[in-house]
Each structure stands twice: as structure tokens, then as C-alpha cells.
Amino acid sequence: MSAISTSHFNSSRFVLTGFPGLEVEYFWISIPFFSIYAMVFLGNCMVLHVIRTEPSLHQPMFYFLAMLALTDLCMGFSTVPTVLGILWGFIREISLDSCIAQSYFIHGLSFMESSVLLAMAFDRYIAICNPLRYSSVLTNEKIMKIGVTILCRSSLLIPPVIIRLKFLNYCRPHVLSHSFCLHQDLIRMACGDIRFNSIYGLALVISNLLLDAVLILVSYILILHAVLAIASREERLKSLQTCVSHICAVLVFYIPIIGLTMVHRFGKHLSPLVHVLMGNIYILFPPLMNPIIYSIKTQQIRRRIQRLFCLKNA
């Protein structure tokens, strides 16, 4: 009987939440969402293209930026089917297996983005605090090793907690809080013992997102200490300007995560629409803003993009 019950729960489908109360406006809401996704894809593809085709950008900082753009691109691909599917009326539900797969990619890519931002902080630390050793420390071989480490760290630590979702009983209303699947949403609907998922999930957040944030903060404390030791005011400003893009990318990534966490933790009385909006900001804001930030703030990329458009218009 237990096996039959488990099979019944695990073969069930989950209702995706669109924008409560705005169902009649879905067509018009889909226009800005489609535009945002298009900008995410085009912006990150352009950054990747510029870095690949411009030999002067074949440097450690831009290799890490390419990793960030690729991560943002994958994040968009992992959520666009359900978000636009709801708005265009193609889907309203998602199977458990698809939901588990989507949650794996969303959380894995979030951890990957955090790891890449940490690697970029390390790059800035070496460039400013140990400029003479920069080329010897961040060789192409070491960058490849960092990339493989980031990939393994982001993909191999999550399966234990994600796989266990397949074997939980979901007896509470199968209504998700967002237009996509998150681990915390699924365990909220489970009736069995979820201690492993809760404890392991918290440990993942602490060992990835929180630890990365602390290490990034420490790196910038050391960078600031080194910059303040520079006698020339112009040199201090020049050194700090090389960090502006990365600082903006860090804020763009962590502020939505903090906001979504606060809404989930303290905003149970808020409208479901607030939860949906915060979830979409958490997913879409970093991939949208990162190409804009680096195109505006990074002189080499800005000039290469300008030349690219000038050639097309010629």
C-alpha cells in the first residue's frame, strides 16, 4: 500500500503560479518578459562573441567574464520554457521529474554564478595586490582548473538533496509559489521526513553562497588596504575603477537573493504576486544586468562592441 501511495504522489503534477489576479493580462505581460529574455540571450551571446573574437581580451579577467556570461545564458534557458509557457497559455502544470530537473539547474547555476564571482574577486585581488605575479599565478592552465573546480562544486554537491525529492510524499496542495521549480517549494509540500533536505540544503547555502560572499568581502578589504597604500591619487582611482564592474555584478547577484529570502521567511502575509515578482527578479535580474554592466564599465568590451556595430553599419 505504501509503495502504491508513493507512486501516486510521485507521478502527480504541480501547478505553476503565474501572476495571480492578472490572468487576463498575460498576453501583455508576456511582451516585456519575452523582451527581457531576448536581451538576456543577445547580451550574453554578444559578450561571449566579443571575448572569443578579440585577441586582446584573452586574459584571465575576461575568461572569468565568459564563464559568468555562459552561466547567465544557461539560467535563462532553464526558466524560459515554464515562464513564457504560462504567459502564452501553453502549460499550467509540470511533472515531478521535470520539476526536479529544473530545480537542479536553477540551484546549480546559482551556485556556479556565486563561484565565478568569487574567482573574479580573486582575479582582482591578484591584479591589484600582487600585480607582478599576476601572469604567473593566473596561467591558462590554472584558469582551466578553476573552471573545472567551479563546475564540479556547483554540479556534484547538489544531487543528494535533489534526488531525494523523487522519493518524498507530496500530500499538501501541489501549487508552486513561482513560475518555475525551487527545492524549498517542493519540500514545503512534502509530508514525510524532510530533515535531510532541510539540513543538507542549508549546509549547501552556507558552504556556497554565504562562504563565497564572505570571501569576496575579505578580498575587497585586502584590495582596499592595498589601494590606500598607493601614494598617487590617480593610481588609486585607476585601481578602484578596475573593480567597479565586478562590485556591481556582486550586488546584482546577492541583493535579489537576500530579497527573495526575506520574502520567503518574513513575507508569508504578502500577496502571492510579490513572491512571484521577487522570484522572477532573482532569476532574471543578474543575467540581464551583467552584460549591460560590463559593456558600459569595461572599456575594452565597450570599444569592441562599438567597432562591431560600426562594421555592421558600414
Side-chain angles (χ1 to χ4, degrees):
M1 188 69 178
S2 175
I4 295 174
S5 177
T6 301
S7 175
H8 171 73
F9 284 121
N10 290 346
S11 64
S12 62
R13 302 180 68 81
F14 296 84
V15 178
L16 294 159
T17 298
F19 294 85
L22 299 176
E23 286 80 5
V24 295
E25 307 293 339
Y26 273 5
F27 174 77
W28 300 109
I29 295 173
S30 71
I31 295 174
F33 266 86
F34 178 80
S35 301
I36 290 171
Y37 274 112
M39 290 172 65
V40 167
F41 297 145
L42 292 175
N44 286 287
C45 284
M46 180 173 292
V47 169
L48 289 169
H49 173 72
V50 166
I51 293 172
R52 186 181 68 85
T53 57
E54 180 57 49
S56 65
L57 299 182
H58 294 174
Q59 303 173 26
M61 180 176 75
F62 297 107
Y63 289 144
F64 290 130
L65 177 56
M67 294 180 199
L68 186 68
L70 186 60
T71 302
D72 287 338
L73 202 58
C74 291
M75 180 66 85
F77 279 121
S78 68
T79 56
V80 65
T82 51
V83 175
L84 291 182
I86 292 171
L87 294 175
W88 287 340
F90 297 145
I91 59 172
R92 289 194 62 235
E93 298 178 338
I94 187 171
S95 67
L96 178 63
D97 290 341
S98 298
C99 197
I100 290 173
Q102 188 179 49
S103 66
Y104 171 78
F105 284 110
I106 290 175
H107 292 296
L109 290 167
S110 292
F111 292 157
M112 189 175 295
E113 181 141 357
S114 175
S115 300
V116 173
L117 290 172
L118 176 59
M120 295 173 84
F122 176 69
D123 169 84
R124 291 299 83 204
Y125 167 76
I126 297 296
I128 293 173
C129 298
N130 294 284
L132 298 178
R133 297 184 58 205
Y134 183 75
S135 58
S136 62
V137 171
L138 288 174
T139 61
N140 288 343
E141 182 182 355
K142 288 181 181 177
I143 291 171
M144 286 185 63
K145 288 181 179 178
I146 291 173
V148 171
T149 301
I150 289 173
L151 183 62
C152 293
R153 182 194 189 210
S154 306
S155 59
L156 300 181
L157 294 177
I158 299 178
V161 72
I162 293 295
I163 291 173
R164 196 167 185 278
L165 292 172
K166 177 71 175 175
F167 304 100
L168 294 175
N169 291 335
Y170 301 96
C171 59
R172 295 189 175 93
H174 292 192
V175 180
L176 299 168
S177 302
H178 303 286
S179 308
F180 41 81
C181 295
L182 297 175
H183 170 262
Q184 55 265 38
D185 235 6
L186 285 171
I187 63 172
R188 177 178 57 83
M189 291 178 279
C191 297
D193 186 359
I194 60 170
R195 284 177 297 178
F196 174 80
N197 284 69
S198 298
I199 295 172
Y200 192 93
L202 179 61
L204 281 177
V205 171
I206 292 173
S207 63
N208 284 271
L209 300 181
L210 184 58
L211 178 61
D212 290 353
V214 170
L215 292 176
I216 290 171
L217 179 61
V218 169
S219 71
Y220 272 104
I221 291 173
L222 297 174
I223 287 171
L224 187 60
H225 182 267
V227 168
L228 292 176
I230 300 174
S232 169
R233 182 174 180 272
E234 290 74 16
E235 288 298 319
R236 288 201 300 268
L237 290 175
K238 185 178 179 180
S239 297
L240 288 174
Q241 283 174 354
T242 64
C243 301
V244 171
S245 299
H246 179 253
I247 292 172
C248 291
V250 170
L251 294 175
V252 158
F253 176 72
Y254 278 100
I255 289 176
I257 287 181
I258 295 171
L260 183 63
T261 302
M262 293 296 104
V263 166
H264 272 293
R265 180 68 180 84
F266 303 108
K268 293 182 174 61
H269 62 286
L270 296 175
S271 166
L273 186 60
V274 175
H275 290 258
V276 172
L277 287 173
M278 283 304 303
N280 281 287
I281 290 172
Y282 156 68
I283 291 294
L284 288 175
F285 193 58
L288 174 66
M289 292 304 299
N290 285 335
I292 297 173
I293 291 168
Y294 279 94
S295 297
I296 293 173
K297 292 294 184 180
T298 307
Q299 191 177 54
Q300 299 97 313
I301 291 180
R302 185 173 68 248
R303 287 179 177 175
R304 183 67 179 86
I305 291 175
Q306 287 173 346
R307 290 208 308 270
L308 188 64
F309 278 102
C310 286
L311 286 173
K312 287 185 177 180
N313 292 331

